Amino acid sequence: MVVELEMNERHKPEIQKTEFVWMNGKTIAWEDGNIPLMTHALHYGTGVFEGIRGYGQGSNMFIFRLEDHFERLINSARVCDIETKYTAKELMEACLSLIRSNDLREDCYIRPIIFVGFSGINLGFINYPTEAAIIVFPFKHYFSKPGLDVCISSWTRLYDPVTPPLAKICGNYVNSVFAKREAAKNGYDEALMLNAQGKISEGTGENIFVVRKGRIATPAMGASILDGITRNTIMELAREMQLEVVERDVGRSELYVADEVFLTGTAAGIAPVLTVDRRQVGDGKVGPITKSLLEGYSQIVQGNMSLGHDDWVTKVY
Ligand code: PMP
């Protein structure tokens, strides 16, 4: 099968290494950032992480909503009852100093992770060590094309009484991986998952917005979604542009009659959806509302202060 062939051929790591990583308070060589095989998180998914973007601007670098990401990381750890000795502020400082140590000035991705380390196989992990690490690497695009073909996954989104989707828990991503691989093997760029109530929740690594007759809707927090920082940014931007945004249940069939659909995420940015289940969305082109939000978002992440929101951007140098 063609898709499988492509997957097998791609055995080279996609990530371009940088010189240093940060681990448990120290800046160390990338090659030394290793973990024991019996690390609890490797076996049981007992970790929490973040995905943050830095945007190169000349010789400077702007990080988008740094504080919000580290706040969410600490909250995810609280949800999992994973204790860390680091505060959000300390991790933010570590992150900035790591980028400077690597002298990274191009678009990048930042991956902080807090996880249960090596001790034993007790699922309760009481008194087990907690590790913290930050990795940064150059990064441009998550999706390789400007408009996406998505499907509704046959996998249901996990929900709060299982493992809470509002926290960015390592183990939660098995659910996303199942949906993403199924979609890729069927020739789609991304999968959307329905929640336990049969309503739209989110993509495997993005939130979703639907536009119909000039009104924007997005599934609410109770719909088994991550409290996306890009989602929050887009809701604020849309309201500033006098667009109506409501958080409510979104049914699968609404996607088939929508004028515009787009996904939002730190890695994905604002990603227009052109087809859902091979059915064309609207006129099959990137719609005007998606376009204007995408433009506004691009300006803001790249530190265009004239749009306000300079508090969302942290300068590294
Ligand atoms: N949902 C899931 C499951 C995700 O993994 C992500 C990416 N972090 C998002 C939504 C979007 O969140 P954010 O905009 O904060 O990156």
Side-chain angles (χ1 to χ4, degrees):
M1 250 177 74
V2 180
V3 181
E4 266 176 4
L5 233 176
E6 275 175 14
M7 282 183 168
N8 291 338
E9 277 172 1
R10 286 179 46 197
H11 49 73
K12 276 202 318 259
E14 292 169 13
I15 291 170
Q16 193 186 325
K17 284 195 269 185
T18 47
E19 203 173 347
F20 302 108
V21 296
W22 179 93
M23 200 170 177
N24 298 325
K26 295 197 184 87
T27 301
I28 57 173
W30 175 289
E31 284 74 17
D32 294 334
N34 299 312
I35 54 163
L37 281 179
M38 282 310 294
T39 296
H40 200 271
L42 176 63
H43 298 250
Y44 305 120
T46 41
V48 293
F49 67 99
E50 268 305 318
I52 311 171
R53 283 289 287 273
Y55 296 86
Q57 274 302 307
S59 60
N60 214 324
M61 154 100 75
F62 295 163
I63 304 181
F64 192 59
R65 301 193 66 168
L66 181 67
E67 201 174 337
D68 296 307
H69 279 284
F70 278 103
E71 208 171 88
R72 187 171 68 185
L73 180 71
I74 296 296
N75 280 334
S76 294
R78 284 173 68 184
V79 169
C80 291
D81 208 14
I82 293 175
E83 283 175 19
T84 176
K85 63 178 178 186
Y86 299 105
T87 61
K89 199 156 179 38
E90 286 166 339
L91 293 170
M92 272 166 58
E93 287 307 320
C95 172
L96 290 169
S97 121
L98 176 66
I99 296 172
R100 291 183 196 122
S101 302
N102 281 306
D103 194 28
L104 200 59
R105 291 164 198 269
E106 61 191 294
D107 290 356
C108 71
Y109 190 82
I110 305 158
R111 167 55 56 83
I113 182 163
I114 295 173
F115 58 99
V116 181
F118 166 58
S119 187
I121 59 162
N122 192 317
L123 292 177
F125 69 77
I126 290 166
N127 296 327
Y128 282 17
T130 297
E131 317 286 344
I134 307 175
I135 307 107
V136 296
F137 49 87
F139 183 85
K140 280 272 182 222
H141 306 291
Y142 185 64
F143 291 114
S144 52
K145 57 194 228 227
L148 305 179
D149 297 307
V150 310
C151 61
I152 304 296
S153 182
S154 70
W155 296 100
T156 300
R157 186 70 180 138
L158 47 80
Y159 53 109
D160 204 63
V162 180
T163 47
L166 74 78
K168 234 174 136 54
I169 305 170
C170 296
N172 277 1
Y173 280 79
V174 174
N175 183 227
S176 287
V177 166
F178 276 28
K180 183 83 181 187
R181 283 185 67 83
E182 177 190 53
K185 288 189 170 187
N186 288 325
Y188 294 100
D189 303 309
E190 185 52 292
L192 302 171
M193 281 179 280
L194 301 181
N195 60 28
Q197 285 73 42
K199 299 294 181 185
I200 298 285
S201 62
E202 58 183 347
T204 64
E206 309 84 20
N207 294 110
I208 183 171
F209 286 81
V210 184
V211 184
R212 190 157 181 236
K213 298 193 193 312
R215 289 170 153 168
I216 309 172
T218 190
M221 278 307 297
S224 293
I225 64 164
L226 183 76
D227 188 6
I229 290 168
T230 322
R231 172 183 180 272
N232 171 287
T233 303
I234 286 301
M235 287 199 292
E236 203 159 327
L237 268 186
R239 284 171 186 149
E240 282 168 15
M241 293 160 96
Q242 316 298 328
L243 296 165
E244 184 187 322
V245 192
V246 285
E247 296 175 74
R248 61 161 175 82
D249 279 349
V250 174
R252 174 180 192 160
S253 53
E254 279 188 66
L255 304 184
Y256 302 149
V257 294
D259 300 321
E260 304 178 35
V261 175
F262 61 91
L263 306 181
T264 64
T266 297
I270 314 303
V273 172
L274 302 186
T275 67
V276 177
D277 295 333
R278 302 266 177 246
R279 300 169 191 220
Q280 181 175 298
V281 173
D283 63 4
K285 300 197 186 79
V286 180
I289 290 183
T290 308
K291 211 177 264 174
S292 47
L293 289 169
L294 205 162
E295 275 161 19
Y297 179 76
S298 311
Q299 294 280 318
I300 286 175
V301 296
Q302 285 170 36
N304 184 340
M305 306 304 181
S306 65
L307 294 176
H309 302 300
D310 30 332
D311 54 319
W312 280 348
V313 174
T314 305
K315 279 189 189 180
V316 178
Y317 301 98

Coordinates of all heavy atoms in Angstrom, one line a residue, residues 27-67:
T27 N 21.5 22.6 32.1 CA 21.6 22.6 30.7 C 22.7 21.6 30.3 O 23.8 21.7 30.7 CB 22.0 24.0 30.2 OG1 21.0 24.9 30.6 CG2 22.1 24.1 28.7
I28 N 22.3 20.6 29.5 CA 23.2 19.5 29.2 C 23.2 19.2 27.7 O 22.3 19.7 27.0 CB 22.8 18.2 29.9 CG1 21.4 17.8 29.6 CG2 23.0 18.3 31.4 CD1 20.9 16.4 30.1
A29 N 24.2 18.5 27.2 CA 24.2 18.2 25.7 C 23.0 17.4 25.3 O 22.5 16.5 26.1 CB 25.5 17.4 25.4
W30 N 22.5 17.6 24.1 CA 21.3 16.9 23.6 C 21.5 15.4 23.8 O 20.6 14.7 24.3 CB 21.2 17.3 22.1 CG 20.1 16.5 21.4 CD1 20.1 15.2 21.1 CD2 18.8 17.1 21.0 NE1 18.9 14.9 20.4 CE2 18.1 16.0 20.3 CE3 18.2 18.3 21.0 CZ2 16.8 16.2 19.7 CZ3 17.0 18.5 20.4 CH2 16.3 17.4 19.8
E31 N 22.7 14.9 23.5 CA 22.9 13.4 23.5 C 22.9 12.9 25.0 O 22.7 11.7 25.2 CB 24.3 13.1 23.0 CG 24.4 13.2 21.5 CD 24.4 14.6 20.9 OE1 24.7 15.5 21.7 OE2 24.1 14.7 19.7
D32 N 23.0 13.8 26.0 CA 23.0 13.3 27.4 C 21.6 13.3 28.0 O 21.4 12.9 29.1 CB 24.0 14.2 28.2 CG 25.4 13.9 27.8 OD1 25.7 12.9 27.3 OD2 26.2 14.9 28.0
G33 N 20.6 13.8 27.2 CA 19.3 13.9 27.7 C 18.6 12.6 27.6 O 17.7 12.4 26.8
N34 N 19.0 11.6 28.3 CA 18.4 10.2 28.2 C 17.7 9.8 29.5 O 17.9 10.4 30.6 CB 19.6 9.2 28.0 CG 20.3 9.6 26.7 OD1 19.7 9.8 25.7 ND2 21.6 9.6 26.7
I35 N 16.9 8.8 29.4 CA 16.1 8.3 30.5 C 16.3 6.7 30.6 O 16.5 6.1 29.6 CB 14.6 8.6 30.5 CG1 14.0 8.2 29.1 CG2 14.4 10.1 30.7 CD1 12.5 8.1 29.1
P36 N 16.2 6.2 31.9 CA 16.3 4.7 32.0 C 15.1 4.0 31.4 O 14.0 4.6 31.3 CB 16.2 4.5 33.5 CG 16.4 5.9 34.2 CD 16.0 6.9 33.1
L37 N 15.3 2.8 30.9 CA 14.2 2.0 30.3 C 13.0 1.8 31.2 O 11.9 1.7 30.7 CB 14.8 0.7 29.8 CG 15.6 0.7 28.6 CD1 16.1 -0.8 28.3 CD2 14.8 1.2 27.4
M38 N 13.3 1.7 32.5 CA 12.2 1.5 33.4 C 11.5 2.8 33.9 O 10.9 2.8 35.0 CB 12.6 0.6 34.6 CG 12.7 -0.9 34.2 SD 11.2 -1.6 33.3 CE 10.0 -1.5 34.6
T39 N 11.7 3.9 33.2 CA 11.0 5.1 33.5 C 9.5 4.9 33.5 O 8.9 4.3 32.6 CB 11.4 6.2 32.5 OG1 12.8 6.4 32.6 CG2 10.6 7.5 32.7
H40 N 8.8 5.2 34.6 CA 7.4 5.0 34.8 C 6.6 5.6 33.7 O 5.7 4.9 33.1 CB 7.0 5.7 36.2 CG 5.7 5.1 36.8 ND1 4.5 5.7 36.5 CD2 5.5 4.2 37.6 CE1 3.6 5.1 37.2 NE2 4.1 4.1 37.9
A41 N 6.9 6.8 33.2 CA 6.1 7.4 32.2 C 6.2 6.7 30.9 O 5.2 6.7 30.1 CB 6.6 8.9 32.0
L42 N 7.3 6.0 30.6 CA 7.4 5.3 29.3 C 6.4 4.2 29.3 O 5.8 3.8 28.2 CB 8.9 4.8 29.2 CG 9.2 3.9 28.0 CD1 9.0 4.7 26.7 CD2 10.6 3.4 28.0
H43 N 6.2 3.5 30.4 CA 5.3 2.4 30.5 C 3.9 2.7 30.7 O 3.0 2.1 30.2 CB 5.8 1.4 31.6 CG 7.2 0.9 31.3 ND1 7.4 -0.4 31.0 CD2 8.4 1.5 31.3 CE1 8.7 -0.6 30.8 NE2 9.3 0.6 31.0
Y44 N 3.6 3.8 31.5 CA 2.3 4.1 31.9 C 1.7 5.4 31.4 O 0.6 5.8 31.8 CB 2.2 4.0 33.4 CG 2.7 2.6 33.9 CD1 3.7 2.5 34.8 CD2 2.1 1.4 33.5 CE1 4.2 1.3 35.3 CE2 2.5 0.2 34.0 CZ 3.6 0.1 34.9 OH 4.1 -1.1 35.3
G45 N 2.5 6.2 30.7 CA 2.0 7.5 30.2 C 1.9 8.5 31.2 O 1.2 9.5 31.0
T46 N 2.6 8.3 32.3 CA 2.5 9.2 33.5 C 3.4 10.5 33.4 O 4.4 10.6 34.0 CB 2.8 8.5 34.8 OG1 4.0 7.7 34.5 CG2 1.7 7.7 35.3
G47 N 3.0 11.3 32.4 CA 3.7 12.5 32.2 C 2.7 13.6 31.7 O 1.6 13.3 31.3
V48 N 3.2 14.8 31.7 CA 2.4 15.9 31.1 C 3.4 16.8 30.3 O 4.5 16.9 30.7 CB 1.7 16.8 32.2 CG1 0.6 16.0 32.9 CG2 2.7 17.4 33.2
F49 N 2.9 17.4 29.3 CA 3.8 18.1 28.4 C 3.1 19.4 27.8 O 1.9 19.6 28.0 CB 4.4 17.2 27.3 CG 3.4 16.8 26.3 CD1 3.3 17.4 25.1 CD2 2.6 15.7 26.6 CE1 2.4 17.0 24.1 CE2 1.7 15.2 25.6 CZ 1.6 15.9 24.4
E50 N 3.9 20.2 27.1 CA 3.4 21.3 26.4 C 4.0 21.4 25.1 O 5.0 20.8 24.8 CB 3.8 22.6 27.2 CG 2.7 23.1 28.2 CD 1.4 23.3 27.5 OE1 1.3 23.8 26.4 OE2 0.4 22.8 28.2
G51 N 3.4 22.1 24.2 CA 3.9 22.5 22.9 C 3.8 24.0 22.7 O 2.7 24.5 22.8
I52 N 5.0 24.6 22.5 CA 5.0 26.1 22.5 C 5.8 26.4 21.2 O 6.6 25.7 20.8 CB 5.8 26.6 23.7 CG1 5.3 26.0 25.0 CG2 5.7 28.1 23.8 CD1 6.1 26.3 26.3
R53 N 5.4 27.6 20.6 CA 6.1 28.0 19.4 C 6.9 29.3 19.6 O 6.5 30.2 20.3 CB 5.1 28.3 18.3 CG 4.5 27.1 17.6 CD 5.5 26.3 16.8 NE 5.8 27.0 15.5 CZ 5.0 26.9 14.4 NH1 3.9 26.1 14.4 NH2 5.4 27.5 13.3
G54 N 8.1 29.3 19.0 CA 8.9 30.5 19.0 C 9.0 30.9 17.5 O 9.1 30.0 16.6
Y55 N 8.9 32.2 17.3 CA 9.0 32.7 15.9 C 10.2 33.6 15.7 O 10.3 34.6 16.4 CB 7.7 33.5 15.6 CG 6.4 32.6 15.6 CD1 5.8 32.4 16.8 CD2 6.0 32.0 14.5 CE1 4.7 31.5 16.9 CE2 4.8 31.1 14.5 CZ 4.2 30.9 15.7 OH 3.1 30.1 15.8
G56 N 11.1 33.2 14.8 CA 12.3 34.0 14.5 C 11.9 35.3 13.9 O 11.1 35.3 13.0
Q57 N 12.4 36.4 14.4 CA 12.2 37.7 13.9 C 13.5 38.5 13.7 O 14.0 39.0 14.7 CB 11.3 38.5 14.8 CG 9.8 38.3 14.6 CD 9.3 38.6 13.2 OE1 9.6 39.7 12.7 NE2 8.7 37.7 12.6
G58 N 14.1 38.4 12.5 CA 15.4 39.0 12.3 C 16.4 38.2 13.2 O 16.4 37.0 13.2
S59 N 17.1 39.0 14.1 CA 18.0 38.2 15.0 C 17.4 37.9 16.3 O 18.0 37.5 17.2 CB 19.3 39.0 15.1 OG 19.0 40.3 15.7
N60 N 16.1 38.3 16.4 CA 15.4 38.0 17.7 C 14.5 36.8 17.6 O 14.4 36.2 16.5 CB 14.6 39.2 18.2 CG 14.6 39.3 19.7 OD1 14.6 38.4 20.4 ND2 14.6 40.6 20.2
M61 N 13.9 36.4 18.7 CA 12.9 35.3 18.7 C 11.8 35.7 19.6 O 12.0 36.1 20.7 CB 13.6 34.1 19.1 CG 12.7 33.0 19.8 SD 12.4 31.8 18.6 CE 13.9 30.9 18.7
F62 N 10.5 35.5 19.1 CA 9.4 35.8 19.9 C 8.6 34.5 20.3 O 8.4 33.7 19.4 CB 8.4 36.7 19.2 CG 8.9 38.1 18.8 CD1 8.3 38.8 17.8 CD2 10.0 38.6 19.5 CE1 8.8 40.1 17.5 CE2 10.5 39.9 19.2 CZ 9.9 40.6 18.2
I63 N 8.4 34.4 21.6 CA 7.6 33.2 22.0 C 6.2 33.6 22.3 O 5.9 34.6 23.0 CB 8.2 32.5 23.2 CG1 9.7 32.2 22.9 CG2 7.5 31.3 23.6 CD1 10.4 31.6 24.1
F64 N 5.3 32.7 21.8 CA 3.9 33.1 21.9 C 3.2 32.5 23.2 O 3.3 31.3 23.4 CB 3.1 32.6 20.7 CG 1.7 33.2 20.6 CD1 1.5 34.5 20.6 CD2 0.6 32.3 20.6 CE1 0.2 35.1 20.5 CE2 -0.7 32.9 20.5 CZ -0.9 34.2 20.5
R65 N 2.7 33.3 24.0 CA 1.9 33.0 25.2 C 2.7 32.0 26.1 O 2.1 31.0 26.6 CB 0.5 32.5 24.8 CG -0.2 33.6 24.1 CD -1.7 33.4 23.9 NE -2.4 33.5 25.2 CZ -3.7 33.5 25.3 NH1 -4.5 33.6 24.2 NH2 -4.3 33.5 26.5
L66 N 3.9 32.3 26.4 CA 4.8 31.5 27.1 C 4.2 31.1 28.5 O 4.2 30.0 29.0 CB 6.2 32.2 27.3 CG 7.3 31.5 28.0 CD1 7.8 30.3 27.3 CD2 8.5 32.5 28.2
E67 N 3.8 32.2 29.2 CA 3.3 32.0 30.6 C 2.1 31.1 30.6 O 1.9 30.3 31.5 CB 3.0 33.4 31.1 CG 2.9 33.5 32.6 CD 2.7 34.9 33.1 OE1 3.1 35.9 32.4 OE2 2.2 35.0 34.2

